[in-house]
Amino acid sequence: MSGMTDHTELILDGTKIFWHQDRIRAWERGERIAPITIDMALTRACNFGCHYCYAMLQENDRQVIDRKVIFDFLDDCAEIGVKGVSLVSDGESTISPVFVDTIVHGSEVGLSMAVGTNGFVLNRRKLEEILPHLTYLRINISAGERSRYAQIMGVKEEWFDRVCQNIRDMVAIKREKNLAVTIGLQMVLMPEYEDQIIPLAMLGKELRPDYLVIKHCSDNEDGDLGVNYDGYRPLYDTLRRAEALSDDEYKVAVKWSKIDADGKRSYQRCYGPPFMLQISGSGLIAPCGMLFNERYKKFHMGNIVEKRFKDIWASDEYWEVMNLLAGPEFNAQSMCGTLCLQHKVNEALDGYLKGDRPLPVLAGPQPQHLNFV
């Protein structure tokens, strides 16, 4: 069964934070809550050279996350109440020697596991090992044609063919084994990639993943990637044409709320990190990926290579950083890059604390990927 044909909703442009009201209330009471979701990488290294890559702006001291470190970390997550771990963050986790073991062990200790990847090394053998243990597998692919893929993703043209074959294999394995995993494609859209919107939507229609999501490109507060946020509005007709290519088992979804935001935030306090933490492929724990760089050292809470995660999480230093972000000395509008991973969670919690968004009465089926807020 395709993940898109069941009766639960796949929320790609929003947040599932309100399905975790027990944790919201505990946080509101001032309790030290465990993150619902941790987004991390197993390495800072990558075999691609994508032109839109934010990770290039996140450099920090590199350390090696080995099997013992990651198993201790996953055990700690399960013990303190983390619900989901996504291997995305600031490196290509599939090229880590502990990649497969991490997914299997995380799943076995009761965590929901997920992966975002360029998909290049995910051959059929690896896919058969990991897919039964994953909630979702998302392939970053920002072009639908070989030559443009090579330009945008910074690789050889023939790599496009290999990635497409790997996507065919993962779709086939999912069907053969009747797995619940959701398989998706993701396009990080810069305005100059407009010519690839329709070709990629058509490629998805051919390869048959569950969805293609098209999202904005984040930039840092200095605008180092040079993202032209005014350039998105002229693309709206093309984006709507791409969405119209959806069918019963394949959904093309545009992250309209972020593309519409023009890179601006409606809130000043940052409330999201206690619920949704990020860890660098170097093992560094920071509230979010935008603060991984060495120049944001005052926001760094520790490193899982050097100290057990549960001890870092329980420390005063960890909560001092969280409280700083949620306090009057911090202004996300002027001190952060654009539209971070925690943006929708921040928006929702800010609205809740201001009384604009009361906790909803939850009815009907839960959305998919509930542990990835």
Side-chain angles (χ1 to χ4, degrees):
M1 182 181 75
S2 165
M4 297 312 301
T5 54
D6 67 21
H7 298 297
T8 56
E9 184 189 0
L10 183 62
I11 297 175
L12 296 168
D13 184 24
T15 177
K16 296 175 280 288
I17 190 69
F18 288 134
W19 273 268
H20 300 274
Q21 295 187 10
D22 55 336
R23 214 155 289 198
I24 293 174
R25 291 198 176 97
W27 167 74
E28 202 177 5
R29 291 192 298 267
E31 293 177 26
R32 293 184 169 187
I33 60 165
I36 299 163
T37 307
I38 295 180
D39 177 66
M40 67 181 300
L42 297 174
T43 176
R44 284 272 301 129
C46 186
N47 47 356
F48 275 47
C50 303
H51 286 201
Y52 54 80
C53 182
Y54 197 96
M56 291 187 288
L57 309 176
Q58 297 169 308
E59 195 55 64
N60 54 73
D61 289 340
R62 298 195 183 196
Q63 300 203 59
V64 176
I65 298 174
D66 62 20
R67 197 170 187 271
K68 182 183 186 315
V69 167
I70 196 63
F71 276 32
D72 284 349
F73 169 78
L74 294 167
D75 292 347
D76 288 352
C77 285
E79 183 183 323
I80 69 171
V82 175
K83 296 186 177 184
V85 173
S86 55
L87 300 177
V88 187
S89 198
D90 62 344
E92 179 53 47
S93 291
T94 60
I95 63 176
S96 161
V98 297
F99 172 69
V100 172
D101 287 345
T102 297
I103 292 166
V104 174
H105 187 73
S107 167
E108 287 175 346
V109 298
L111 300 167
S112 297
M113 300 298 294
V115 175
T117 169
N118 57 47
F120 184 67
V121 303
L122 288 184
N123 55 33
R124 184 175 267 271
R125 180 186 60 76
K126 281 187 182 164
L127 288 166
E128 288 187 339
E129 286 186 81
I130 64 172
L131 284 173
H133 295 278
L134 288 175
T135 300
Y136 73 78
L137 174 59
R138 192 180 65 227
I139 306 298
N140 299 315
I141 177 170
S142 289
E145 296 169 333
R146 287 176 100 233
S147 60
R148 290 287 279 136
Y149 179 87
Q151 290 168 359
I152 292 169
M153 309 288 281
V155 295
K156 297 172 182 167
E157 284 191 23
E158 53 265 33
W159 288 29
F160 175 76
D161 305 325
R162 180 165 158 180
V163 169
C164 287
Q165 184 54 50
N166 291 346
I167 295 168
R168 286 187 195 95
D169 286 344
M170 60 187 74
V171 170
I173 292 165
K174 172 180 169 162
R175 287 191 179 139
E176 288 159 15
K177 298 191 174 184
N178 196 27
L179 300 175
V181 60
T182 307
I183 295 168
L185 308 182
Q186 175 176 278
M187 178 185 203
V188 177
L189 176 64
M190 288 181 81
E192 54 266 39
Y193 305 161
E194 180 186 11
D195 63 304
Q196 291 305 296
I197 295 171
I198 299 301
L200 184 54
M202 294 293 291
L203 178 68
K205 212 166 170 68
E206 177 198 329
L207 297 176
R208 309 307 297 168
D210 297 305
Y211 69 85
L212 161 66
V213 63
I214 301 173
K215 59 168 281 196
H216 71 296
C217 183
S218 294
D219 211 339
N220 67 357
E221 67 271 40
D222 299 328
D224 286 340
L225 292 179
V227 183
N228 172 20
Y229 287 101
D230 294 332
Y232 284 114
R233 212 160 285 278
L235 313 184
Y236 282 12
D237 285 348
T238 309
L239 290 168
R240 289 192 186 97
R241 275 173 43 224
E243 286 189 317
L245 291 167
S246 301
D247 57 44
D248 288 347
E249 293 189 331
Y250 167 63
K251 178 184 176 73
V252 180
V254 175
K255 284 198 169 184
W256 286 110
S257 68
K258 285 192 174 182
I259 284 175
D260 265 344
D262 295 328
K264 297 181 178 67
R265 299 171 188 270
S266 60
Y267 54 86
Q268 295 180 334
R269 305 287 88 82
C270 179
Y271 300 124
F275 298 88
M276 190 178 196
L277 187 67
Q278 282 186 277
I279 299 180
S280 171
S282 67
L284 171 74
I285 301 176
C288 71
M290 291 186 173
L291 299 174
F292 284 161
N293 193 288
E294 205 61 21
R295 65 176 164 152
Y296 302 114
K297 217 172 177 59
K298 73 173 182 177
F299 296 106
H300 297 171
M301 300 122 134
N303 191 303
I304 61 169
V305 177
E306 298 164 357
K307 193 174 179 182
R308 290 288 292 248
F309 174 62
K310 64 183 177 184
D311 295 331
I312 296 171
W313 170 76
S315 70
D316 289 343
E317 291 83 357
Y318 180 98
W319 290 101
E320 280 164 12
V321 172
M322 293 300 188
N323 293 334
L324 171 64
L325 294 174
E329 292 169 37
F330 190 81
N331 186 338
Q333 291 173 344
S334 61
M335 297 166 76
C336 289
T338 57
L339 305 185
C340 60
L341 187 71
Q342 292 85 349
H343 175 63
K344 299 304 294 185
V345 174
N346 275 331
E347 233 175 30
L349 293 172
D350 186 65
Y352 168 64
L353 289 184
K354 288 174 178 170
D356 300 332
R357 287 182 76 169
L359 294 182
V361 177
L362 302 173
Q366 294 179 337
Q368 292 186 60
H369 310 172
L370 193 66
N371 293 334
F372 300 96
V373 293

